[in-house]
Amino acid sequence: MSATVSNFYYGAVTPVSAYLMACLGAALGLRCTTRSLRRPHRRAAWLALGAVSIGCGIWTMHFIAMIGFSVQGALVGYDPTKTLLSLVVAIVVVALGVFLVGHRGGSPVNLALAGTVTGLGVAAMHYLGMGAIHTNGTLHYDTPTVALSVAIAVAAATAALWAAVSIHKLWSSLGAALVMGVAVTGMHYTGMAAVSVHLTGTSAVGQSSTNLLSFLLVMLAGPLAVLLIAAVIVMFDPDMMLGDDDWDHAAPAAPQPARQPSPPSPPHTSW
């Protein structure tokens, strides 16, 4: 028997919160990448922080959105190991893309390669997280919709990596983060539109229990703390408000070569 599936059990609260988390992770990642370009001696550290921020933002978006996931007539639970593994996958694949463009530049070939790898990884994170679901039924996926969600993930990842190496002004970065939030959240809900559940048993519970909500909140606590720490680091960085032009103006001018004194003029003699 097919069950009625909802992704908005709590109304707009979960999609809006998920979108904000995706935007926060993207914004922090873009600002960290900007710092990596300005400070080559600390490039690896800034790129790593950016990758962790984006990865945690995407993963947090996914599981906040999943709080609103319900199956009528079924109890929903999650496997902790697969849930944590999906977080590791999100961070690792984002790191691959960020380090590739951070060290090799934003050429079309690099962006295409990094965007494809990262997008496929984000999609893998999403479906691995879905694979962690336990319920008294089986999940089925509509193949064309799944393919569309993967294509959106690749496009979103490529755009994010392009923005990371091309957009450095503060307000432009924030605008790009808002757009990336739409893309990442859209990928999630496109993937969720592919899901149908066929019940194999009966349950008196029509929605996830309080224990499930507590589990997800505990899972979210770590990534949220990481995002908070990253935000503090970025906010207290001295050049947080600088963009490309501001950075050029703030940078010390290159020292000019010392002018050689001109040779003294020969004494003028009157005859």
Coordinates of all heavy atoms in Angstrom, one line a residue, residues 6-23 57 60-69 181-182 184-186 188-189 192:
S6 N 4.7 13.5 3.2 CA 4.7 15.0 3.3 C 6.1 15.4 3.7 O 6.8 14.8 4.5 CB 3.7 15.5 4.3 OG 3.9 16.9 4.5
N7 N 6.6 16.5 3.1 CA 7.8 17.1 3.4 C 7.7 18.4 4.2 O 8.7 19.1 4.5 CB 8.7 17.4 2.1 CG 9.1 16.2 1.5 OD1 10.0 15.4 2.0 ND2 8.6 15.9 0.3
F8 N 6.4 18.8 4.5 CA 6.1 20.0 5.2 C 5.2 19.9 6.3 O 4.2 20.6 6.5 CB 5.5 21.0 4.1 CG 6.4 21.2 2.9 CD1 6.0 20.5 1.7 CD2 7.5 21.9 2.9 CE1 6.7 20.6 0.6 CE2 8.3 22.0 1.7 CZ 7.9 21.4 0.6
Y9 N 5.5 18.9 7.2 CA 4.6 18.6 8.3 C 4.5 19.8 9.2 O 3.4 20.0 9.8 CB 5.2 17.4 9.1 CG 4.3 16.9 10.2 CD1 3.2 16.1 10.0 CD2 4.6 17.3 11.5 CE1 2.4 15.7 11.0 CE2 3.8 16.9 12.6 CZ 2.7 16.1 12.3 OH 1.9 15.7 13.3
Y10 N 5.6 20.5 9.4 CA 5.5 21.7 10.3 C 5.3 23.0 9.5 O 5.7 24.1 9.9 CB 6.8 21.8 11.1 CG 7.0 20.7 12.1 CD1 7.9 19.6 11.8 CD2 6.3 20.6 13.2 CE1 8.0 18.5 12.6 CE2 6.4 19.5 14.1 CZ 7.3 18.5 13.8 OH 7.4 17.5 14.7
G11 N 4.8 22.9 8.3 CA 4.6 24.1 7.5 C 5.9 24.7 6.9 O 6.8 24.0 6.5
A12 N 5.9 26.0 6.9 CA 7.1 26.7 6.3 C 8.3 26.8 7.2 O 9.4 27.2 6.7 CB 6.7 28.1 5.9
V13 N 8.2 26.3 8.4 CA 9.3 26.4 9.4 C 10.5 25.7 8.9 O 11.6 26.2 8.9 CB 8.9 25.9 10.8 CG1 10.1 25.9 11.7 CG2 7.8 26.8 11.3
T14 N 10.3 24.4 8.5 CA 11.5 23.6 8.1 C 12.1 24.1 6.8 O 13.3 24.2 6.7 CB 11.2 22.1 8.1 OG1 9.9 21.9 7.4 CG2 11.0 21.6 9.5
P15 N 11.4 24.3 5.7 CA 12.0 24.8 4.5 C 12.7 26.1 4.6 O 13.8 26.3 4.1 CB 10.9 24.8 3.5 CG 9.6 24.9 4.2 CD 9.9 24.1 5.5
V16 N 12.1 27.0 5.4 CA 12.8 28.4 5.5 C 14.0 28.2 6.4 O 15.1 28.8 6.0 CB 11.8 29.3 6.2 CG1 12.5 30.6 6.6 CG2 10.6 29.7 5.3
S17 N 14.0 27.4 7.5 CA 15.2 27.2 8.3 C 16.3 26.5 7.5 O 17.4 26.8 7.6 CB 14.8 26.4 9.5 OG 13.8 27.1 10.3
A18 N 15.9 25.5 6.7 CA 16.8 24.8 5.9 C 17.5 25.7 4.9 O 18.7 25.7 4.7 CB 16.1 23.6 5.2
Y19 N 16.7 26.6 4.3 CA 17.3 27.5 3.3 C 18.3 28.5 4.0 O 19.3 28.7 3.4 CB 16.1 28.3 2.7 CG 16.6 29.5 1.9 CD1 17.2 29.4 0.6 CD2 16.4 30.8 2.3 CE1 17.7 30.4 -0.1 CE2 16.8 31.9 1.6 CZ 17.4 31.7 0.4 OH 17.9 32.8 -0.3
L20 N 17.9 29.0 5.2 CA 18.8 29.9 5.9 C 20.2 29.2 6.2 O 21.2 29.8 6.1 CB 18.2 30.4 7.1 CG 17.0 31.3 6.9 CD1 16.3 31.7 8.2 CD2 17.4 32.6 6.1
M21 N 20.1 27.9 6.6 CA 21.3 27.2 6.9 C 22.2 27.0 5.6 O 23.4 27.1 5.6 CB 21.0 25.8 7.5 CG 20.5 25.9 8.9 SD 21.7 26.6 10.1 CE 21.0 28.3 10.2
A22 N 21.5 26.7 4.5 CA 22.3 26.6 3.2 C 22.9 27.9 2.9 O 24.1 28.0 2.4 CB 21.3 26.1 2.1
C23 N 22.2 29.0 3.1 CA 22.8 30.4 2.8 C 24.0 30.7 3.7 O 25.0 31.2 3.3 CB 21.7 31.4 2.9 SG 20.4 31.4 1.7
G57 N 26.9 23.3 6.1 CA 25.7 24.1 5.7 C 24.7 23.2 4.9 O 23.5 23.2 5.1
T60 N 23.4 20.3 7.2 CA 22.4 20.9 8.1 C 21.1 21.2 7.4 O 20.0 21.0 7.9 CB 23.0 22.1 8.8 OG1 24.2 21.8 9.5 CG2 22.0 22.6 9.8
M61 N 21.2 21.8 6.2 CA 20.0 22.1 5.4 C 19.2 20.8 5.2 O 18.0 20.8 5.4 CB 20.4 22.7 4.1 CG 19.3 22.9 3.1 SD 18.8 21.5 2.1 CE 20.3 21.0 1.3
H62 N 19.9 19.7 4.8 CA 19.2 18.5 4.5 C 18.4 18.0 5.7 O 17.2 17.6 5.6 CB 20.2 17.4 4.1 CG 19.7 16.1 3.9 ND1 19.0 15.7 2.7 CD2 19.6 15.0 4.7 CE1 18.6 14.4 2.9 NE2 19.0 14.0 4.1
F63 N 19.1 17.9 6.9 CA 18.4 17.3 8.0 C 17.4 18.2 8.7 O 16.5 17.7 9.4 CB 19.4 16.6 8.9 CG 19.9 15.3 8.5 CD1 21.1 15.2 7.8 CD2 19.1 14.2 8.6 CE1 21.5 13.9 7.3 CE2 19.5 12.9 8.2 CZ 20.7 12.8 7.5
I64 N 17.6 19.5 8.6 CA 16.5 20.4 9.1 C 15.3 20.2 8.2 O 14.1 20.1 8.7 CB 17.0 21.8 9.1 CG1 17.9 22.1 10.2 CG2 15.8 22.8 9.2 CD1 18.5 23.5 10.3
A65 N 15.5 20.1 6.9 CA 14.3 19.8 6.0 C 13.7 18.5 6.3 O 12.5 18.3 6.2 CB 14.8 19.9 4.6
M66 N 14.5 17.5 6.7 CA 14.0 16.1 7.0 C 13.2 16.1 8.3 O 12.4 15.2 8.5 CB 15.1 15.1 7.1 CG 15.8 14.9 5.8 SD 14.7 14.4 4.4 CE 14.1 12.8 5.1
I67 N 13.3 17.1 9.1 CA 12.4 17.2 10.3 C 11.0 17.3 9.9 O 10.1 16.8 10.6 CB 12.8 18.4 11.2 CG1 14.2 18.1 11.8 CG2 11.8 18.6 12.3 CD1 14.7 19.3 12.7
G68 N 10.7 17.9 8.7 CA 9.4 18.0 8.2 C 8.9 16.9 7.4 O 7.8 16.9 6.9
F69 N 9.7 15.8 7.3 CA 9.4 14.6 6.5 C 8.5 13.7 7.3 O 8.9 13.3 8.4 CB 10.6 13.9 6.0 CG 10.4 12.6 5.3 CD1 9.9 12.7 4.0 CD2 10.6 11.4 5.9 CE1 9.6 11.5 3.3 CE2 10.4 10.2 5.2 CZ 9.9 10.3 3.9
G181 N 21.7 29.2 -1.9 CA 20.8 28.6 -1.0 C 19.5 28.1 -1.7 O 19.0 27.0 -1.4
V182 N 19.1 28.9 -2.6 CA 17.9 28.5 -3.4 C 18.2 27.2 -4.2 O 17.5 26.2 -4.3 CB 17.5 29.6 -4.4 CG1 16.4 29.1 -5.4 CG2 16.9 30.8 -3.6
V184 N 20.7 24.9 -3.7 CA 20.9 23.7 -2.8 C 19.6 23.2 -2.2 O 19.3 22.0 -2.2 CB 21.9 24.0 -1.7 CG1 22.1 22.9 -0.8 CG2 23.3 24.3 -2.4
T185 N 18.8 24.1 -1.7 CA 17.5 23.7 -1.1 C 16.6 23.1 -2.2 O 15.8 22.2 -2.0 CB 16.8 24.9 -0.4 OG1 17.8 25.5 0.5 CG2 15.6 24.4 0.3
G186 N 16.6 23.7 -3.4 CA 15.8 23.2 -4.5 C 16.2 21.8 -4.9 O 15.4 21.0 -5.2
H188 N 17.4 19.6 -2.8 CA 16.9 18.7 -1.8 C 15.4 18.4 -2.1 O 15.1 17.2 -2.1 CB 17.1 19.3 -0.4 CG 16.3 18.6 0.6 ND1 16.9 17.5 1.3 CD2 15.1 18.7 1.2 CE1 16.0 17.0 2.2 NE2 14.9 17.7 2.1
Y189 N 14.6 19.4 -2.3 CA 13.2 19.1 -2.4 C 12.9 18.5 -3.8 O 11.8 17.8 -3.9 CB 12.4 20.4 -2.2 CG 12.3 20.8 -0.7 CD1 13.1 21.8 -0.2 CD2 11.5 20.0 0.1 CE1 13.0 22.1 1.2 CE2 11.4 20.3 1.5 CZ 12.2 21.3 2.0 OH 12.1 21.6 3.4
M192 N 13.4 15.0 -2.9 CA 12.3 14.4 -2.1 C 11.1 14.2 -2.9 O 10.2 13.4 -2.5 CB 12.1 15.4 -0.9 CG 13.2 15.6 0.1 SD 13.8 14.0 0.7 CE 12.3 13.4 1.6

